[in-house]
Amino acid sequence: MDTFHIVRPARKAPINQTLVGYVGSGDLEVMIDNSDSPQADIYIHSSSSAGEQRWLALIERIEANQPLPMMRMDIHDFSATPGVIRLRLEQALEQALTKEASYE
Amino acid sequence: MSNAQDSRLNTNFVEQGARKRIEYVLDSGSMRELVTPFDRVISPWLEVQGIVPQFDDGVVVARGAIDGKSVIAIAIDGSFQGGSLGEVAGAKIAGALELAVEANQAGESIAAVLMFETGGVRLQEANLGLAAIAEIQSAIVALRKLQPVVALITGPVGCFGGMSITAGLCSYLLMTREGRLGLNGPQVIEQEAGVGEYDSRDRPFIWGLTGGEQRYTTGLVDDFFGSDVIEVRNKVQEYLRKGVPDTFRSEAIQSSLDRLKNVDTQHQITSEAAREIFAKGASL
Amino acid sequence: MNTAAIKTDTVKTHRGRVWFDLLADNMMVHEGAVPSVMIANGNLAELPCSLILVQPDKNNLYPRAINGEVGLLEGWALADAIHNIVSKDAESEQKSAIIAIVDVPSQAYGRREEALGIHQALAAAVSAYAQARQAGHPVISLLVGKAMSGAFLAHGYQANTILALNDDGVMVHAMGKAAAARITMRSEEELDQLAKTIPPMAYDLKSFATLGLIEKFIDVSSADAPSSKDIELVQILLADALESLKGDTQITKRLQGENRGASRRVRELLRAQWKKAEPNL
């Protein structure tokens, strides 16, 4: 298991506590919570061998659509594919930014 | 907590996650989760072994109402570490049940619904998983005197190991066709006793011995039904309404001993033979 | 008066049986519902007390339970033995103590066992022990050998207090080392290595004690062939353990263990959040 802490510039936006996914084979859980720091703090636990660069690339791809909100994001990854990771990240951000507080 | 739209269309209880299962059995809007993922109480033992943790440690505990009655609802998430119980997961279950006992002793009325999806002890937290299971069992024996404790095994994981013993302590035990219930997992039996004793790859054989239908036919569970969420919810309500039973399955001592002492153990058993053995004696 | 015949060589060398016989020296000994469960009734330090043992029986009707495993018959027979003690004292203020002599290698693994509901047999034993304790019977476990997994849940883990001989042959674990290695896909050496830093994984008693589960270790000259001094010491410590219970019917003192911080933290949070989560009825 590898752990990474990635810090990204972020915009000020109201967010809801959000949790999507689960830590089962080929999947991941993504949790978004409020944070006092003026940035996006992303903490990653991953059982895959992909390094920090791949995570950074994935996050940059998501940022291309819209900048991240100020938040704390935790990712618990059980060897998910990049496609699944991207889906979960987008799902989590969408819920955090648009819906009422929700997790399942 | 609102439903995610995609799972709202899906009404098979077996395919729902732990949180969603609780939401489905509780009265709409009554669910209040305790020790939520945002409390960040993760396992203290998994990360040091290089295993990715989950924020709820695979157990969801909530207070809520069913049919207008206050309940504590607990569901194990079979997708995280096979639904195995470690220190935190186990403490969530035991601690919630202990508080329910306390509340009932103080004059409140809180029943329990437990949804099992578990292989038993999480081997990475071995002795603490086992200890927690003993504590869960103690709390259930105390609570079932005061309130109905309804247990549900729907699959896909089933209920094995020390938690199968826990299931045998509950006031009412309900299963679906996809559920399985047994003490020892098929692979463990095969390893300990050989493939001739137990072929872990023979799925029809295993289902025949430990599946919901067989467990119902042999009287080891109280009810057996389909896995549609409405049906599951109705059955949970039906059994909660029955209240505290006159006697518990774990108290059928004499009839069980009589039955077990008269089994022909010269020949290996089949699921049909098991049904006959249980049909002969008084039901458990 | 010790009337029970020692049946086989396996039994003679069974450590549990050795301790049971010596501790039951002045008690009435009888077989339970099956020969693999033994009961002794008498007194310990003037207090009424029963000893309960699960032992090997090479003639066990169930071949997967001949080596002292807790099987179908043993689970229900334990429940039977304990219920008899509880109903005998039902009207009495003075509840006799129940002492589980624990030397159980495992639950029984087999096809018949699963088909005929071994989980329910073990639940019967757990239920009986827990009810006895909650009804005010002091329940103590004395670990003299193995206390493994489901077998220990059924015979010993519901005790108020767990005492253990300070001996390498005493072992508590959720699963045998070989099976645990296979299932977690590690070698036994790797498991030993892990156990050094992860107390709940360890097979040694000292680590187990840091989990709050063992009240006291008992140093004896021989765990296999105890001397009269050893027996005397164990009797004194059992009496002490009974004395110090003072009516406690819970098992929650285990939570004070050094390595049970998360167990305590979860309970604190549950309690703090409990009221606020009350449903509006």
Side-chain angles (χ1 to χ4, degrees), chain C residues 37-187:
Chain C
V37 172
M38 299 290 294
I39 300 124
N41 299 311
N43 284 298
L44 183 78
E46 326 272 281
L47 295 169
C49 151
S50 296
L51 309 179
I52 302 182
L53 172 77
V54 177
Q55 68 174 1
D57 171 18
K58 70 168 184 184
N59 299 314
N60 198 313
L61 178 62
Y62 290 83
R64 300 291 312 162
I66 59 173
N67 297 312
E69 295 92 349
V70 181
L72 287 160
L73 290 172
E74 290 71 26
W76 289 107
L78 281 168
D80 177 60
I82 297 153
H83 273 270
N84 289 341
I85 296 163
V86 171
S87 46
K88 187 177 60 143
D89 287 353
E91 306 300 323
S92 160
E93 284 276 304
Q94 171 86 285
K95 306 286 188 195
S96 33
I98 298 171
I99 297 170
I101 310 289
V102 182
D103 183 8
V104 282
S106 70
Q107 64 267 33
Y109 297 94
R111 190 192 299 186
R112 283 182 202 91
E113 280 70 20
E114 296 305 318
L116 299 174
I118 185 174
H119 67 282
Q120 194 59 57
L122 269 52
V126 171
S127 169
Y129 271 117
Q131 286 181 86
R133 170 170 48 74
Q134 288 164 5
H137 289 266
V139 181
I140 295 183
S141 286
L142 176 65
L143 312 190
V144 301
K146 286 184 173 165
M148 300 298 276
S149 190
F152 186 34
L153 286 176
H155 181 52
Y157 227 154
Q158 284 301 322
N160 301 84
T161 303
I162 303 172
L163 305 177
L165 301 185
N166 194 5
D167 180 83
D168 287 346
V170 179
M171 188 187 281
V172 184
H173 217 273
M175 190 177 270
K177 207 185 278 181
R182 277 193 299 268
I183 285 177
T184 58
M185 290 178 285
R186 290 165 167 146
S187 69

Side-chain angles (χ1 to χ4, degrees), chain A residues 88-103:
Chain A
R88 288 292 189 202
L89 289 177
E90 285 175 347
Q91 188 189 4
L93 283 166
E94 192 198 332
Q95 283 192 28
L97 288 165
T98 61
K99 290 191 184 170
E100 63 187 274
S102 158
Y103 55 100

Side-chain angles (χ1 to χ4, degrees), chain A residues 3-96:
Chain A
T3 58
F4 311 109
H5 178 196
I6 295 175
V7 179
R8 302 296 298 165
R11 67 192 161 103
K12 199 168 180 156
I15 55 161
N16 307 304
Q17 286 189 320
T18 300
L19 178 73
V20 300
Y22 59 94
V23 188
S25 187
D27 212 322
L28 68 157
E29 74 174 345
V30 180
M31 191 161 101
I32 294 176
D33 207 345
N34 291 296
S35 153
D36 294 333
S37 77
Q39 59 207 19
D41 280 295
I42 304 169
Y43 294 87
I44 300 164
H45 287 72
S46 174
S47 61
S48 81
S49 53
E52 188 165 358
Q53 283 313 308
R54 188 195 71 169
W55 286 100
L56 194 57
L58 270 164
I59 290 161
E60 281 171 345
R61 225 169 296 148
I62 285 165
E63 285 173 324
N65 297 332
Q66 54 172 332
L68 297 175
M70 293 176 192
M71 63 175 175
R72 172 177 175 147
M73 176 188 268
D74 285 88
I75 297 169
H76 288 163
D77 164 46
F78 199 142
S79 306
T81 61
V84 172
I85 294 170
R86 180 160 185 185
L87 192 85
R88 288 292 189 202
L89 289 177
E90 285 175 347
Q91 188 189 4
L93 283 166
E94 192 198 332
Q95 283 192 28

